[in-house]
Amino acid sequence: MKNKKVWMGIGAIVVVALIVWLTSGGKKEEKASFETAKVERQNIHTSITATGTIEPVTSVTVGTQVSGIVAKLYVDYNSIVKKGQVIAELDKTNLTSELNTAKANLTSAQSTLNYQHANFQRYQKLYDKGLVSADDYENAKLNYEKARETVKSSQQSVNKAQTNLGYATITSPIDGVVLSKSVEEGQTVAASFNTPELFTIAQDLTDMRVIADIDEADIGGVAEGQRVTFTVDAFPDDRFEGAVTQVRQQATTSSNVVTYEVVISAPNKDLKLKPGLTANVTIFTMEKNDVLAVPSKALRFIPNEALLQADQKIEDVDAPQKVWTLKDNVFKAHKVETGTSNGTLTEIVSGISEGDEVLVDFTLNNNGDEEQDAKARNPFMPRPRNNRNNQQKKQ
């Protein structure tokens, strides 16, 4: 019994010694290492991404206002055309016949007018002498006026027939390149209700644009003049530059998703960009170049007093925005005025000088072998024991 009490006392002493070692000795071996960043000039920007379609700035669909058979085609895909150049002709047989008929009707109407005019003059002289009744005189005058109106109507018919005959010759309305051709020679086109489309001509393929669909959540930050970069799958290694030229007000809703069209300039001097390509667009909604900046997490850094060494101290300031420096074992807070931020970098307007190093984060080193992330350093959570403590426990 006596030996048993002795061993129980020894065991109690060992347990107390082990607890003291775990709560004090291990802690002394923990050291903090700090991550710093220099206050330096950087470019800060925010951007949004979208997709769009490349198209010519100016393109014209060429059609015909008269029906007929396509007799001749003078251009094909990719043909370069000039304004006024003949690009197609319709069969003119029926149109020429209509013109000749209208001209014949005009000639007949003119003959009738000449007769009615002479007849009216005769009746006017007889009426002035009292040899014919007023009713005969009025009838002669009425017939003359009808003949005159018939001539005007016949002249309009001739003009219309001449115009329709002119429409049978299709000319290019602009200088440009033929993008598409919708008809072939011998095909009949009917212009009864809709104007048949024959060609699509782009004015200048060196001046393209991108029509991008921007989500409603991002459209508030888009404005004319903002810089844009975009890529296309056809040239994945090339980055093209442009600018926002128009933000259209009309919304488009598809599957409950609201988007707005934004027009982006796309210079195309080397003709790499082709109409219809899909562009992956990045719009820079905010850009500030060559400004003093620090990582944004430096503004959220707070020294942990529990980790200070015996010869270290803290000099804090009461400020809504501040950064910390460590010099001569002193953690010093600096009140700063901030500018724009993109979440990663924050502009520093005043409060600290270029080239200074600010504290960003810290890590714990246990016995020089194990690092703990700063996010895991919660004072209310138990910490893992170091190797030395584990070895003692095994013993």
Side-chain angles (χ1 to χ4, degrees):
M1 292 294 292
K2 196 172 187 180
N3 290 335
K4 186 176 180 180
K5 292 181 179 179
V6 171
W7 283 109
M8 289 177 64
I10 294 173
I13 293 173
V14 171
V15 171
V16 172
L18 183 59
I19 293 174
V20 171
W21 171 256
L22 293 176
T23 57
S24 61
K27 189 174 181 179
K28 292 180 181 178
E29 296 182 5
E30 289 184 338
K31 292 185 179 180
S33 61
F34 295 91
E35 178 187 349
T36 62
K38 278 190 176 183
V39 181
E40 56 187 1
R41 296 193 173 275
Q42 301 189 57
N43 299 332
I44 301 177
H45 68 264
T46 58
S47 62
I48 60 175
T49 57
T51 58
T53 303
I54 295 174
E55 63 179 38
V57 173
T58 302
S59 61
V60 179
T61 299
V62 181
T64 174
Q65 292 186 348
V66 294
S67 301
I69 298 174
V70 179
K72 293 288 184 181
L73 291 177
Y74 299 105
V75 296
D76 203 345
Y77 292 94
N78 300 333
S79 296
I80 298 176
V81 296
K82 298 294 183 180
K83 183 177 181 180
Q85 176 182 336
V86 177
I87 58 179
E89 285 186 357
L90 302 181
D91 182 72
K92 300 179 181 179
T93 303
N94 292 335
L95 297 174
T96 303
S97 177
E98 291 177 2
L99 176 60
N100 292 335
T101 300
K103 287 182 177 180
N105 291 335
L106 176 60
T107 301
S108 175
Q110 187 65 52
S111 299
T112 301
L113 175 61
N114 294 337
Y115 168 75
Q116 294 296 341
H117 183 244
N119 188 52
F120 170 69
Q121 288 181 333
R122 286 194 297 270
Y123 269 87
Q124 188 174 29
K125 291 179 181 179
L126 294 173
Y127 178 74
D128 292 340
K129 294 179 180 181
L131 300 176
V132 295
S133 65
D135 183 60
D136 292 337
Y137 169 76
E138 293 294 337
N139 284 333
K141 182 178 180 181
L142 178 62
N143 290 332
Y144 166 64
E145 291 177 350
K146 285 182 177 180
R148 188 167 58 182
E149 294 301 323
T150 300
V151 169
K152 290 181 180 179
S153 177
S154 298
Q155 183 63 56
Q156 293 300 320
S157 297
V158 171
N159 295 340
K160 181 180 179 181
Q162 286 179 333
T163 301
N164 288 338
L165 183 60
Y167 286 151
T169 301
I170 313 299
T171 60
S172 174
I174 58 173
D175 295 342
V177 179
V178 177
L179 296 183
S180 67
K181 181 183 69 171
S182 304
V183 294
E184 298 292 342
E185 289 186 3
Q187 182 175 339
T188 301
V189 292
S192 301
F193 300 101
N194 298 319
T195 301
E197 295 182 2
L198 306 182
F199 305 95
T200 299
I201 300 177
Q203 185 174 35
D204 185 7
L205 292 183
T206 63
D207 185 18
M208 305 286 277
R209 66 181 181 182
V210 180
I211 306 297
D213 295 323
I214 307 299
D215 189 84
E216 62 177 326
D218 299 324
I219 194 64
V222 180
E224 293 183 10
Q226 291 174 342
R227 185 171 69 92
V228 179
T229 62
F230 62 92
T231 60
V232 294
D233 292 340
F235 304 98
D237 297 329
D238 293 342
R239 186 172 296 275
F240 302 91
E241 297 279 343
V244 176
T245 59
Q246 185 182 53
V247 180
R248 294 178 176 172
Q249 301 297 325
Q250 183 177 3
T252 302
T253 303
S254 176
S255 300
N256 293 326
V257 177
V258 180
T259 58
Y260 292 83
E261 287 187 345
V262 172
V263 182
I264 300 165
S265 63
N268 188 32
K269 293 182 179 179
D270 52 7
L271 298 178
K272 285 185 175 182
L273 299 176
K274 301 182 183 301
L277 289 178
T278 298
N280 303 305
V281 176
T282 300
I283 302 176
F284 294 91
T285 56
M286 185 276 293
E287 284 189 290
K288 276 198 171 182
N289 298 325
D290 196 31
V291 296
L292 286 181
V294 297
S296 297
K297 60 181 181 179
L299 297 165
R300 300 188 294 269
F301 176 85
I302 299 177
N304 191 335
E305 295 185 4
L307 300 178
L308 299 182
Q309 303 297 320
D311 56 346
Q312 292 179 337
K313 62 179 181 178
I314 294 178
E315 293 183 3
D316 200 356
V317 294
D318 184 15
Q321 297 286 344
K322 55 188 173 182
V323 295
W324 294 82
T325 58
L326 176 59
K327 188 175 182 180
D328 298 330
N329 287 329
V330 177
F331 291 90
K332 185 175 181 180
H334 301 263
K335 178 182 178 181
V336 294
E337 180 183 353
T338 60
T340 56
S341 175
N342 62 359
T344 302
L345 295 174
T346 299
E347 178 188 5
I348 299 298
V349 178
S350 63
I352 198 165
S353 302
E354 182 177 357
D356 290 345
E357 290 194 354
V358 296
L359 296 171
V360 175
D361 203 352
F362 68 92
T363 55
L364 285 179
N365 298 324
N366 273 346
N367 208 19
D369 297 327
E370 182 182 355
E371 291 190 356
Q372 299 178 357
D373 190 89
K375 295 181 179 178
R377 293 191 302 274
N378 189 331
F380 299 102
M381 295 293 291
R383 295 176 179 172
R385 299 173 181 175
N386 57 29
N387 294 336
R388 183 175 176 181
N389 291 337
N390 292 335
Q391 291 175 359
Q392 287 184 354
K393 184 175 180 181
K394 291 178 180 179
Q395 294 176 355

Short mmCIF file of all heavy atoms in Angstrom, two decimals, residues 214-265:
data_model
loop_
_atom_site.label_atom_id
_atom_site.label_comp_id
_atom_site.label_asym_id
_atom_site.label_seq_id
_atom_site.Cartn_x
_atom_site.Cartn_y
_atom_site.Cartn_z
N ILE A 214 -24.32 42.42 -73.20
CA ILE A 214 -23.85 42.65 -71.82
C ILE A 214 -24.99 42.36 -70.86
O ILE A 214 -26.11 42.84 -71.04
CB ILE A 214 -23.35 44.10 -71.64
CG1 ILE A 214 -22.31 44.43 -72.71
CG2 ILE A 214 -22.78 44.27 -70.25
CD1 ILE A 214 -21.09 43.56 -72.69
N ASP A 215 -24.69 41.60 -69.83
CA ASP A 215 -25.70 41.26 -68.82
C ASP A 215 -26.17 42.50 -68.09
O ASP A 215 -25.42 43.47 -67.91
CB ASP A 215 -25.11 40.25 -67.84
CG ASP A 215 -26.16 39.68 -66.91
OD1 ASP A 215 -26.84 38.72 -67.29
OD2 ASP A 215 -26.28 40.22 -65.78
N GLU A 216 -27.43 42.47 -67.64
CA GLU A 216 -28.00 43.63 -66.94
C GLU A 216 -27.24 43.97 -65.66
O GLU A 216 -27.24 45.12 -65.22
CB GLU A 216 -29.47 43.37 -66.62
CG GLU A 216 -29.72 42.18 -65.70
CD GLU A 216 -31.19 42.02 -65.35
OE1 GLU A 216 -31.88 43.04 -65.23
OE2 GLU A 216 -31.64 40.87 -65.20
N ALA A 217 -26.59 42.99 -65.04
CA ALA A 217 -25.84 43.26 -63.81
C ALA A 217 -24.57 44.06 -64.09
O ALA A 217 -24.04 44.71 -63.19
CB ALA A 217 -25.49 41.94 -63.12
N ASP A 218 -24.07 44.03 -65.34
CA ASP A 218 -22.81 44.69 -65.68
C ASP A 218 -23.00 45.95 -66.50
O ASP A 218 -22.07 46.74 -66.63
CB ASP A 218 -21.90 43.73 -66.45
CG ASP A 218 -21.54 42.49 -65.65
OD1 ASP A 218 -21.37 42.63 -64.43
OD2 ASP A 218 -21.43 41.40 -66.24
N ILE A 219 -24.18 46.16 -67.08
CA ILE A 219 -24.35 47.25 -68.03
C ILE A 219 -24.20 48.62 -67.38
O ILE A 219 -23.84 49.60 -68.05
CB ILE A 219 -25.74 47.14 -68.72
CG1 ILE A 219 -25.81 48.06 -69.95
CG2 ILE A 219 -26.86 47.44 -67.74
CD1 ILE A 219 -24.85 47.68 -71.04
N GLY A 220 -24.43 48.72 -66.07
CA GLY A 220 -24.31 50.01 -65.39
C GLY A 220 -22.92 50.58 -65.42
O GLY A 220 -22.74 51.80 -65.32
N GLY A 221 -21.90 49.73 -65.54
CA GLY A 221 -20.53 50.22 -65.56
C GLY A 221 -19.98 50.49 -66.94
O GLY A 221 -18.84 50.94 -67.07
N VAL A 222 -20.77 50.24 -67.98
CA VAL A 222 -20.28 50.40 -69.36
C VAL A 222 -20.64 51.79 -69.87
O VAL A 222 -21.77 52.25 -69.69
CB VAL A 222 -20.88 49.32 -70.28
CG1 VAL A 222 -20.37 49.48 -71.69
CG2 VAL A 222 -20.56 47.93 -69.75
N ALA A 223 -19.67 52.45 -70.50
CA ALA A 223 -19.90 53.79 -71.04
C ALA A 223 -19.10 53.94 -72.32
O ALA A 223 -18.11 53.23 -72.56
CB ALA A 223 -19.51 54.87 -70.02
N GLU A 224 -19.51 54.89 -73.14
CA GLU A 224 -18.81 55.15 -74.41
C GLU A 224 -17.38 55.60 -74.13
O GLU A 224 -17.11 56.34 -73.19
CB GLU A 224 -19.55 56.21 -75.22
CG GLU A 224 -20.90 55.76 -75.74
CD GLU A 224 -21.58 56.80 -76.61
OE1 GLU A 224 -20.90 57.79 -76.96
OE2 GLU A 224 -22.76 56.63 -76.94
N GLY A 225 -16.47 55.14 -74.98
CA GLY A 225 -15.07 55.53 -74.87
C GLY A 225 -14.21 54.57 -74.09
O GLY A 225 -12.98 54.69 -74.12
N GLN A 226 -14.79 53.61 -73.39
CA GLN A 226 -14.00 52.67 -72.60
C GLN A 226 -13.19 51.74 -73.50
O GLN A 226 -13.65 51.33 -74.57
CB GLN A 226 -14.90 51.86 -71.68
CG GLN A 226 -15.52 52.68 -70.56
CD GLN A 226 -16.53 51.90 -69.74
OE1 GLN A 226 -17.02 50.87 -70.16
NE2 GLN A 226 -16.86 52.42 -68.56
N ARG A 227 -12.00 51.40 -73.04
CA ARG A 227 -11.12 50.53 -73.82
C ARG A 227 -11.63 49.09 -73.79
O ARG A 227 -12.15 48.63 -72.77
CB ARG A 227 -9.69 50.60 -73.25
CG ARG A 227 -8.66 49.82 -74.07
CD ARG A 227 -7.26 50.12 -73.57
NE ARG A 227 -7.03 49.57 -72.25
CZ ARG A 227 -6.53 48.36 -72.02
NH1 ARG A 227 -6.21 47.57 -73.04
NH2 ARG A 227 -6.34 47.94 -70.79
N VAL A 228 -11.43 48.40 -74.90
CA VAL A 228 -11.90 47.02 -75.03
C VAL A 228 -10.81 46.19 -75.70
O VAL A 228 -10.14 46.66 -76.63
CB VAL A 228 -13.20 46.95 -75.88
CG1 VAL A 228 -13.66 45.50 -76.01
CG2 VAL A 228 -14.29 47.80 -75.27
N THR A 229 -10.62 44.98 -75.21
CA THR A 229 -9.81 44.00 -75.91
C THR A 229 -10.67 42.78 -76.18
O THR A 229 -11.60 42.49 -75.43
CB THR A 229 -8.57 43.58 -75.09
OG1 THR A 229 -9.00 42.97 -73.87
CG2 THR A 229 -7.71 44.79 -74.77
N PHE A 230 -10.37 42.08 -77.27
CA PHE A 230 -11.15 40.88 -77.57
C PHE A 230 -10.30 39.90 -78.38
O PHE A 230 -9.31 40.27 -79.02
CB PHE A 230 -12.45 41.22 -78.31
CG PHE A 230 -12.26 41.87 -79.65
CD1 PHE A 230 -12.19 41.11 -80.81
CD2 PHE A 230 -12.16 43.24 -79.76
CE1 PHE A 230 -12.03 41.70 -82.04
CE2 PHE A 230 -11.99 43.85 -81.00
CZ PHE A 230 -11.93 43.08 -82.14
N THR A 231 -10.69 38.65 -78.32
CA THR A 231 -10.04 37.60 -79.08
C THR A 231 -11.10 36.85 -79.89
O THR A 231 -12.29 36.91 -79.57
CB THR A 231 -9.31 36.61 -78.17
OG1 THR A 231 -10.26 36.01 -77.26
CG2 THR A 231 -8.23 37.31 -77.37
N VAL A 232 -10.64 36.16 -80.92
CA VAL A 232 -11.52 35.30 -81.72
C VAL A 232 -10.85 33.94 -81.82
O VAL A 232 -9.62 33.82 -81.77
CB VAL A 232 -11.77 35.89 -83.13
CG1 VAL A 232 -12.55 37.19 -83.04
CG2 VAL A 232 -10.46 36.11 -83.87
N ASP A 233 -11.67 32.91 -81.94
CA ASP A 233 -11.14 31.55 -81.99
C ASP A 233 -10.28 31.31 -83.22
O ASP A 233 -9.40 30.44 -83.20
CB ASP A 233 -12.30 30.54 -81.97
CG ASP A 233 -13.04 30.55 -80.63
OD1 ASP A 233 -12.44 31.02 -79.64
OD2 ASP A 233 -14.19 30.09 -80.58
N ALA A 234 -10.52 32.05 -84.29
CA ALA A 234 -9.73 31.87 -85.51
C ALA A 234 -8.28 32.26 -85.32
O ALA A 234 -7.38 31.71 -85.96
CB ALA A 234 -10.35 32.67 -86.65
N PHE A 235 -8.03 33.23 -84.41
CA PHE A 235 -6.67 33.68 -84.12
C PHE A 235 -6.50 33.76 -82.61
O PHE A 235 -6.50 34.85 -82.02
CB PHE A 235 -6.40 35.05 -84.77
CG PHE A 235 -6.62 35.06 -86.26
CD1 PHE A 235 -7.82 35.54 -86.78
CD2 PHE A 235 -5.65 34.59 -87.12
CE1 PHE A 235 -8.04 35.55 -88.15
CE2 PHE A 235 -5.88 34.60 -88.49
CZ PHE A 235 -7.06 35.08 -89.01
N PRO A 236 -6.36 32.61 -81.95
CA PRO A 236 -6.35 32.59 -80.47
C PRO A 236 -5.16 33.32 -79.85
O PRO A 236 -5.23 33.73 -78.70
CB PRO A 236 -6.33 31.10 -80.14
CG PRO A 236 -5.78 30.44 -81.36
CD PRO A 236 -6.23 31.25 -82.52
N ASP A 237 -4.07 33.48 -80.59
CA ASP A 237 -2.88 34.14 -80.04
C ASP A 237 -2.88 35.64 -80.26
O ASP A 237 -1.97 36.33 -79.78
CB ASP A 237 -1.61 33.53 -80.66
CG ASP A 237 -1.45 32.05 -80.33
OD1 ASP A 237 -1.91 31.65 -79.23
OD2 ASP A 237 -0.91 31.30 -81.16
N ASP A 238 -3.84 36.16 -81.00
CA ASP A 238 -3.90 37.60 -81.28
C ASP A 238 -4.92 38.26 -80.36
O ASP A 238 -5.99 37.71 -80.10
CB ASP A 238 -4.30 37.86 -82.73
CG ASP A 238 -3.22 37.39 -83.70
OD1 ASP A 238 -2.07 37.21 -83.25
OD2 ASP A 238 -3.53 37.20 -84.89
N ARG A 239 -4.56 39.43 -79.87
CA ARG A 239 -5.47 40.23 -79.04
C ARG A 239 -5.77 41.52 -79.79
O ARG A 239 -4.87 42.29 -80.12
CB ARG A 239 -4.86 40.52 -77.67
CG ARG A 239 -5.82 41.22 -76.71
CD ARG A 239 -5.22 41.29 -75.33
NE ARG A 239 -5.05 39.96 -74.78
CZ ARG A 239 -5.98 39.28 -74.15
NH1 ARG A 239 -7.18 39.81 -73.98
NH2 ARG A 239 -5.73 38.07 -73.68
N PHE A 240 -7.05 41.76 -80.05
CA PHE A 240 -7.47 42.93 -80.82
C PHE A 240 -7.96 44.02 -79.87
O PHE A 240 -8.49 43.74 -78.80
CB PHE A 240 -8.58 42.54 -81.80
CG PHE A 240 -8.18 41.45 -82.77
CD1 PHE A 240 -8.40 40.11 -82.46
CD2 PHE A 240 -7.58 41.77 -83.97
CE1 PHE A 240 -8.04 39.11 -83.35
CE2 PHE A 240 -7.21 40.77 -84.87
CZ PHE A 240 -7.43 39.45 -84.55
N GLU A 241 -7.75 45.26 -80.31
CA GLU A 241 -8.12 46.42 -79.49
C GLU A 241 -9.32 47.14 -80.11
O GLU A 241 -9.50 47.15 -81.33
CB GLU A 241 -6.94 47.40 -79.39
CG GLU A 241 -5.72 46.84 -78.69
CD GLU A 241 -5.83 46.90 -77.18
OE1 GLU A 241 -6.69 47.64 -76.69
OE2 GLU A 241 -5.04 46.20 -76.50
N GLY A 242 -10.12 47.75 -79.26
CA GLY A 242 -11.25 48.55 -79.72
C GLY A 242 -11.72 49.47 -78.61
O GLY A 242 -11.06 49.63 -77.58
N ALA A 243 -12.88 50.08 -78.81
CA ALA A 243 -13.45 50.99 -77.82
C ALA A 243 -14.97 50.93 -77.93
O ALA A 243 -15.52 50.65 -79.00
CB ALA A 243 -12.96 52.42 -78.02
N VAL A 244 -15.63 51.21 -76.81
CA VAL A 244 -17.10 51.25 -76.80
C VAL A 244 -17.55 52.50 -77.55
O VAL A 244 -17.16 53.62 -77.20
CB VAL A 244 -17.64 51.24 -75.37
CG1 VAL A 244 -19.16 51.38 -75.37
CG2 VAL A 244 -17.25 49.96 -74.65
N THR A 245 -18.37 52.32 -78.58
CA THR A 245 -18.86 53.46 -79.36
C THR A 245 -20.34 53.74 -79.12
O THR A 245 -20.81 54.84 -79.40
CB THR A 245 -18.64 53.24 -80.87
OG1 THR A 245 -19.33 52.04 -81.27
CG2 THR A 245 -17.16 53.09 -81.17
N GLN A 246 -21.08 52.75 -78.61
CA GLN A 246 -22.51 52.97 -78.37
C GLN A 246 -23.03 51.94 -77.36
O GLN A 246 -22.67 50.76 -77.42
CB GLN A 246 -23.29 52.85 -79.68
CG GLN A 246 -24.77 53.19 -79.57
CD GLN A 246 -25.52 52.99 -80.89
OE1 GLN A 246 -25.45 51.95 -81.49
NE2 GLN A 246 -26.20 54.04 -81.33
N VAL A 247 -23.86 52.42 -76.44
CA VAL A 247 -24.56 51.55 -75.50
C VAL A 247 -26.05 51.68 -75.82
O VAL A 247 -26.66 52.71 -75.55
CB VAL A 247 -24.28 51.94 -74.03
CG1 VAL A 247 -25.03 51.00 -73.08
CG2 VAL A 247 -22.79 51.90 -73.74
N ARG A 248 -26.62 50.65 -76.41
CA ARG A 248 -28.01 50.72 -76.86
C ARG A 248 -28.95 50.52 -75.68
O ARG A 248 -28.70 49.70 -74.79
CB ARG A 248 -28.26 49.66 -77.93
CG ARG A 248 -27.47 49.96 -79.21
CD ARG A 248 -27.64 48.91 -80.28
NE ARG A 248 -26.94 49.31 -81.50
CZ ARG A 248 -26.80 48.52 -82.56
NH1 ARG A 248 -27.30 47.29 -82.56
NH2 ARG A 248 -26.15 48.97 -83.63
N GLN A 249 -30.05 51.28 -75.71
CA GLN A 249 -30.98 51.30 -74.58
C GLN A 249 -31.98 50.14 -74.60
O GLN A 249 -32.54 49.81 -73.57
CB GLN A 249 -31.75 52.62 -74.58
CG GLN A 249 -30.86 53.85 -74.47
CD GLN A 249 -30.10 53.90 -73.16
OE1 GLN A 249 -30.60 53.48 -72.13
NE2 GLN A 249 -28.87 54.39 -73.21
N GLN A 250 -32.22 49.57 -75.75
CA GLN A 250 -33.22 48.51 -75.85
C GLN A 250 -32.70 47.21 -75.24
O GLN A 250 -31.59 46.76 -75.55
CB GLN A 250 -33.63 48.27 -77.30
CG GLN A 250 -34.73 47.23 -77.45
CD GLN A 250 -35.19 47.05 -78.88
OE1 GLN A 250 -34.63 47.68 -79.77
NE2 GLN A 250 -36.19 46.24 -79.10
N ALA A 251 -33.51 46.61 -74.39
CA ALA A 251 -33.14 45.35 -73.73
C ALA A 251 -33.66 44.17 -74.52
O ALA A 251 -34.68 44.24 -75.20
CB ALA A 251 -33.69 45.32 -72.31
N THR A 252 -32.93 43.06 -74.41
CA THR A 252 -33.34 41.79 -75.02
C THR A 252 -33.46 40.76 -73.92
O THR A 252 -32.54 40.60 -73.11
CB THR A 252 -32.31 41.33 -76.07
OG1 THR A 252 -32.17 42.33 -77.07
CG2 THR A 252 -32.75 40.03 -76.70
N THR A 253 -34.60 40.08 -73.86
CA THR A 253 -34.83 39.06 -72.83
C THR A 253 -34.90 37.69 -73.48
O THR A 253 -35.69 37.47 -74.41
CB THR A 253 -36.14 39.35 -72.07
OG1 THR A 253 -36.09 40.66 -71.52
CG2 THR A 253 -36.34 38.33 -70.95
N SER A 254 -34.06 36.79 -72.99
CA SER A 254 -34.04 35.42 -73.50
C SER A 254 -33.86 34.48 -72.32
O SER A 254 -32.87 34.56 -71.59
CB SER A 254 -32.90 35.23 -74.51
OG SER A 254 -32.83 33.89 -74.94
N SER A 255 -34.84 33.58 -72.12
CA SER A 255 -34.82 32.63 -70.99
C SER A 255 -34.66 33.37 -69.66
O SER A 255 -33.85 32.99 -68.81
CB SER A 255 -33.69 31.60 -71.18
OG SER A 255 -33.87 30.87 -72.37
N ASN A 256 -35.41 34.47 -69.52
CA ASN A 256 -35.40 35.30 -68.31
C ASN A 256 -34.06 35.99 -68.05
O ASN A 256 -33.82 36.47 -66.94
CB ASN A 256 -35.80 34.48 -67.08
CG ASN A 256 -37.24 34.02 -67.14
OD1 ASN A 256 -38.10 34.72 -67.67
ND2 ASN A 256 -37.51 32.83 -66.62
N VAL A 257 -33.18 36.01 -69.05
CA VAL A 257 -31.90 36.71 -68.94
C VAL A 257 -31.99 37.99 -69.77
O VAL A 257 -32.27 37.94 -70.97
CB VAL A 257 -30.74 35.84 -69.43
CG1 VAL A 257 -29.43 36.61 -69.38
CG2 VAL A 257 -30.64 34.57 -68.59
N VAL A 258 -31.74 39.13 -69.12
CA VAL A 258 -31.84 40.43 -69.77
C VAL A 258 -30.44 40.90 -70.17
O VAL A 258 -29.52 40.92 -69.34
CB VAL A 258 -32.50 41.47 -68.86
CG1 VAL A 258 -32.59 42.82 -69.56
CG2 VAL A 258 -33.89 41.00 -68.44
N THR A 259 -30.27 41.23 -71.44
CA THR A 259 -28.99 41.73 -71.92
C THR A 259 -29.21 43.00 -72.73
O THR A 259 -30.32 43.28 -73.20
CB THR A 259 -28.28 40.69 -72.81
OG1 THR A 259 -29.14 40.35 -73.91
CG2 THR A 259 -27.94 39.44 -72.00
N TYR A 260 -28.13 43.76 -72.89
CA TYR A 260 -28.15 45.00 -73.68
C TYR A 260 -27.03 44.92 -74.71
O TYR A 260 -25.94 44.41 -74.42
CB TYR A 260 -27.95 46.23 -72.79
CG TYR A 260 -29.10 46.48 -71.85
CD1 TYR A 260 -29.20 45.81 -70.63
CD2 TYR A 260 -30.10 47.40 -72.17
CE1 TYR A 260 -30.25 46.03 -69.77
CE2 TYR A 260 -31.16 47.64 -71.32
CZ TYR A 260 -31.23 46.95 -70.11
OH TYR A 260 -32.29 47.17 -69.26
N GLU A 261 -27.29 45.46 -75.89
CA GLU A 261 -26.29 45.45 -76.94
C GLU A 261 -25.34 46.63 -76.77
O GLU A 261 -25.77 47.76 -76.57
CB GLU A 261 -26.96 45.52 -78.32
CG GLU A 261 -27.64 44.23 -78.73
CD GLU A 261 -28.14 44.27 -80.16
OE1 GLU A 261 -28.21 45.39 -80.72
OE2 GLU A 261 -28.46 43.21 -80.71
N VAL A 262 -24.05 46.33 -76.88
CA VAL A 262 -23.01 47.35 -76.82
C VAL A 262 -22.20 47.25 -78.10
O VAL A 262 -21.75 46.15 -78.48
CB VAL A 262 -22.10 47.16 -75.59
CG1 VAL A 262 -20.90 48.10 -75.65
CG2 VAL A 262 -22.89 47.39 -74.31
N VAL A 263 -22.02 48.38 -78.78
CA VAL A 263 -21.28 48.42 -80.04
C VAL A 263 -19.83 48.79 -79.75
O VAL A 263 -19.55 49.78 -79.06
CB VAL A 263 -21.91 49.43 -81.02
CG1 VAL A 263 -21.16 49.41 -82.34
CG2 VAL A 263 -23.38 49.11 -81.23
N ILE A 264 -18.91 47.99 -80.29
CA ILE A 264 -17.48 48.16 -80.03
C ILE A 264 -16.76 48.30 -81.37
O ILE A 264 -16.98 47.48 -82.28
CB ILE A 264 -16.92 46.96 -79.25
CG1 ILE A 264 -17.64 46.84 -77.90
CG2 ILE A 264 -15.42 47.08 -79.05
CD1 ILE A 264 -17.44 45.51 -77.23
N SER A 265 -15.93 49.31 -81.50
CA SER A 265 -15.15 49.47 -82.73
C SER A 265 -14.11 48.36 -82.82
O SER A 265 -13.57 47.90 -81.81
CB SER A 265 -14.47 50.84 -82.76
OG SER A 265 -13.53 50.95 -81.69
#
